[in-house]
Amino acid sequence: VDLVAEVLEGDRRALAKLISLIEDDHPEARAALAALYPHTGQAQIIGITGPPGSGKSTLVNALAKHLRGQSIPVGIVAVDPTSPLTGGALLGDRVRMRDLAGDSGVFIRSMASRGSLGGLARATSDVVKVLDAAGFALVLVETVGAGQSEVEVAQAAHTTVVVEAPGMGDEVQALKAGLMEIADIFVVNKADRPGADAALRALHMVVGRDGASGEACAWRPPILQTVAARGVGVSEVWEAIVAHREHLRAGGHWVEQERERAMAELCDILRRDLLRQLLTRLGEDTFQRWVERIAAREVDVYTAARLIQEES
Amino acid sequence: VDLVAEVLEGDRRALAKLISLIEDDHPEARAALAALYPHTGQAQIIGITGPPGSGKSTLVNALAKHLRGQSIPVGIVAVDPTSPLTGGALLGDRVRMRDLAGDSGVFIRSMASRGSLGGLARATSDVVKVLDAAGFALVLVETVGAGQSEVEVAQAAHTTVVVEAPGMGDEVQALKAGLMEIADIFVVNKADRPGADAALRALHMVVGRDGASGEACAWRPPILQTVAARGVGVSEVWEAIVAHREHLRAGGHWVEQERERAMAELCDILRRDLLRQLLTRLGEDTFQRWVERIAAREVDVYTAARLIQEES
């Protein structure tokens, strides 16, 4: 519990150690998380997502620098779901480190999936809680990729920023359809490049259309422009983040989000614990025999699942 | 069971109906899947994935046309994990339909996530089995996006084709690190564009490096070039798919894959069933009280999960 006290004081080595324990699913991690949990709930969690090449890392970096100018402690979690087999670290970290190194008010951690896909989301959520408890008022969670991971980021964040860039082709336009639904703030980054106007127009059309059918006090996602590499437009992104927080707080959505997040996490943990127990009761050999029977087409997987539950 | 007989004959309306039942998680779907299951195991399942804009759909289309020229029945499942909230259909279907319409040897289905993320993977796997049972010798599963979804595609496929295109930027290069590990075949599409040589070189470097440390009889992913929009290089992709199938069959990997897939599916179904039963025993009110306590920071989620299991 020494570790917990050190984390609460924001000790960087303690933070790094606890996060490693979380990644290894070490029993000590659960105990520490339980002790830290009452100290959470202060941070605003920001998910940053969007297609590859849109400049998410650069924007995260610029945002962190902007906040450090205001002495706001910032935690950054960079999630890379595309490397499930290596457990390798994320690109761009060296770039980040160069700009933000030596600032004790910034903590940066890359996370890659080490085993199950669900494990990464689980660990990321726990790391965010640790940073929250350690006093980082803002936690930026960046996801590389353009798939299911966005949706998970959105579920774990108070505010989701979707980053685009001009001229990314038709398929990216279509991806937008999925991103539209999770975006609280849109950013067209690299806005000094050709095609920025078209990208902005396309976003305005979709947001405008949705806004028309929404409730009066609904949040209408602002559409911002940045040139993150030069810091242009970054303060406006920060203002939008603050505005969204006020919106969440005023409408009771903040509390509602907390509840939804708690429910999703609880279900996730229960699912995994329950399966582990069933497999222990059943025994490895019996389980493997069922797997063989399914692979041999003697029984289908749904029937097998039913029979296993009746048996155990 | 009329439906099952019709599906086995390849009746298109029956196929469409059963797939809808699967998507709705209808009880009748489980019964039909159980009856169809002994008829599965014939099809080679090909996952096609890669970053947005690489031309996956065009390649899938070109491959399907090539196979139809050889009278091979082709099923195409286009999975869109980026639209979890609308349940909307996938882009590109109209393009596909135009080229392949009226050919009874092709069946195309788009699938979007309707609820849980896990639900989509579950339903996709079931739809692939239906197409397998209906006699489609080749089932192409295409995923839009560049995230966790690739990995799920790879897990559900015998052969994973990773499609790239020239000049997609640094971040895409980095994504490759994740895709490298799941690729059985690499395709640089749009190979008539500037930058194709660089993309090929980069891939050759990575594959070469991995090959050096691999076993003697290990599969070394071929790196192919296509201009799918004009059908260029498509027959070579098909030859590589056939060669990979022979490799899997010869080395016993095919059977091993079947077993791994059966195990993953069984665990997934058990997890969901077990949670549902626990929640039924616990009751909605008690469960909601636990969620409230977690959201109020009275108890952390791991402790809550443990106490719930002790209690119920």
Side-chain angles (χ1 to χ4, degrees), chain A residues 198-223:
Chain A
L200 288 165
R201 260 199 312 277
L203 286 171
H204 275 289
M205 269 182 58
V206 183
V207 171
R209 192 187 60 200
D210 285 7
S213 64
E215 310 136 51
C217 61
W219 174 260
R220 178 193 277 240
I223 297 161

Side-chain angles (χ1 to χ4, degrees), chain B residues 30 43 86 90 111 121 132 138 144 182-183 190 246 263 284 301 305:
Chain B
R30 288 203 177 193
T86 50
L90 211 128
M111 303 191 66
D132 182 349
L138 218 85
V144 174
I182 59 168
K190 304 182 183 178
E246 297 314 317
M263 183 151 70
E284 181 65 22
V301 68

Side-chain angles (χ1 to χ4, degrees), chain A residues 25 30 33-35 37-42 51-57 80-87 91 117-118 120-122 126 129 132 142-152 155 168 170-172 174-175 177-179 181-182 255 258-263 265-275 277-279 281 284 287-288 290-306 308-309, chain B residues 25 30 33-35 37-42 51-57 80-87 91 117-118 120-122 126 129 132 142-152 155 168 170-172 174-175 177-179 181-182 255 258-263 265-275 277-279 281 284 287-288 290-306 308-309:
Chain A
D25 203 10
R30 288 203 177 192
L33 284 165
Y37 191 62
H39 302 276
T40 63
Q42 305 306 312
S54 55
K56 288 181 296 292
S57 300
D80 184 1
T82 60
S83 281
L85 307 176
T86 51
L91 69 151
L117 300 172
L120 180 60
R122 184 76 281 166
D126 286 342
K129 280 179 196 149
D132 181 350
E142 176 197 337
T143 311
V144 173
Q148 297 192 191
S149 36
E150 272 80 6
V151 180
E152 283 175 21
Q155 279 165 349
M168 300 198 62
D170 285 349
E171 202 166 350
V172 176
L175 278 175
L179 295 177
E181 295 153 351
I182 60 169
V255 178
E258 296 273 332
R259 219 177 281 132
E260 281 171 20
R261 207 170 306 144
M263 181 150 73
E265 288 186 12
L266 183 57
C267 287
D268 180 46
I269 292 166
L270 285 172
R271 258 190 297 266
R272 305 206 298 159
D273 282 0
L274 290 166
L275 178 64
Q277 286 159 26
L278 177 77
L279 294 184
R281 281 202 305 278
E284 181 64 21
F287 180 69
Q288 285 303 335
W290 279 108
V291 170
E292 293 295 337
R293 290 189 59 201
I294 296 166
R297 263 84 189 169
E298 289 171 27
V299 61
D300 75 283
V301 69
Y302 289 112
T303 305
R306 185 168 50 77
I308 286 172
Q309 289 172 73
Chain B
D25 203 9
R30 288 203 177 193
L33 284 165
Y37 190 62
H39 302 276
T40 63
Q42 305 308 311
S54 55
K56 289 182 294 295
S57 301
D80 184 1
T82 60
S83 280
L85 307 175
T86 50
L91 68 149
L117 300 172
L120 180 60
R122 187 74 276 154
D126 286 342
K129 281 179 196 147
D132 182 349
E142 176 197 337
T143 311
V144 174
Q148 298 193 189
S149 36
E150 270 81 6
V151 181
E152 283 175 21
Q155 280 164 348
M168 299 197 65
D170 286 348
E171 203 165 349
V172 175
L175 278 175
L179 295 178
E181 296 152 350
I182 59 168
V255 178
E258 296 273 329
R259 218 178 279 131
E260 281 172 21
R261 206 170 306 142
M263 183 151 70
E265 289 186 12
L266 182 59
C267 286
D268 179 46
I269 292 167
L270 285 171
R271 259 190 296 266
R272 305 205 297 161
D273 281 1
L274 290 166
L275 178 64
Q277 286 158 27
L278 177 77
L279 295 184
R281 283 201 304 278
E284 181 65 22
F287 179 70
Q288 285 303 335
W290 278 107
V291 170
E292 295 293 338
R293 289 189 60 200
I294 296 166
R297 264 83 187 169
E298 289 171 27
V299 61
D300 76 283
V301 68
Y302 289 111
T303 305
R306 185 169 48 81
I308 286 172
Q309 289 172 75

Side-chain angles (χ1 to χ4, degrees), chain B residues 159-210:
Chain B
T159 303
T160 300
V161 180
V162 171
V163 186
E164 313 241 353
M168 299 197 65
D170 286 348
E171 203 165 349
V172 175
Q173 298 299 319
L175 278 175
K176 247 180 241 169
L179 295 178
M180 290 309 302
E181 296 152 350
I182 59 168
D184 299 307
I185 296 167
F186 282 105
V187 174
V188 175
N189 190 29
K190 304 182 183 178
D192 52 349
R193 294 207 185 165
D197 285 348
L200 287 166
R201 261 198 311 278
L203 286 172
H204 274 289
M205 270 181 60
V206 184
V207 171
R209 195 187 57 201
D210 285 9

Side-chain angles (χ1 to χ4, degrees), chain B residues 25-103:
Chain B
D25 203 9
H26 195 281
E28 212 183 307
R30 288 203 177 193
L33 284 165
L36 287 171
Y37 190 62
H39 302 276
T40 63
Q42 305 308 311
Q44 184 177 5
I45 305 161
I46 315 290
I48 313 257
T49 191
S54 55
K56 289 182 294 295
S57 301
T58 313
L59 181 63
V60 166
N61 213 5
L63 205 50
K65 276 197 283 188
H66 182 75
L67 295 169
R68 293 309 299 143
Q70 303 183 27
S71 302
I72 298 170
V74 184
I76 299 174
V77 184
V79 182
D80 184 1
T82 60
S83 280
L85 307 175
T86 50
L90 211 128
L91 68 149
D93 258 36
R94 277 155 301 172
V95 178
R96 266 193 261 269
M97 289 304 183
R98 208 190 302 143
D99 280 359
L100 301 166
D103 180 347

Side-chain angles (χ1 to χ4, degrees), chain A residues 127-141:
Chain A
V127 169
V128 167
K129 280 179 196 149
V130 169
L131 295 177
D132 181 350
F136 293 94
L138 218 83
V139 180
L140 303 171
V141 182

